[in-house]
Amino acid sequence: MRVSRISLGTMNFGRVVSGTAACAMLDHAVDARVNVIDTADVYGRPPLGSRPGQTEEILG
């Protein structure tokens, strides 16, 4: 498998970037042949909230 030279970071998906905007960014990355997406179960959590996994839900 070939890995793209750049990746899409998703740390702000769900927290700063809305689900709609995140989907548009993902579409753009796929069109640019990006095939590495950085995500974690703690991404997207509000600063004072405790709902981990929002980024994964958006990507799912």
Side-chain angles (χ1 to χ4, degrees):
M1 176 179 200
R2 291 187 180 243
V3 178
S4 56
R5 289 183 179 218
I6 61 172
S7 65
L8 175 63
T10 63
M11 183 173 78
N12 289 318
F13 285 12
R15 178 178 174 184
V16 176
V17 178
S18 70
T20 302
C23 289
M25 292 172 70
L26 184 58
D27 288 342
H28 185 73
V30 169
D31 289 344
R33 305 191 117 178
V34 172
N35 65 1
V36 177
I37 301 170
D38 173 33
T39 186
D41 65 348
V42 295
Y43 286 177
R45 178 173 37 197
L48 299 175
S50 65
R51 190 171 155 247
Q54 286 183 14
T55 295
E56 290 177 330
E57 289 174 14
I58 290 169
L59 291 173

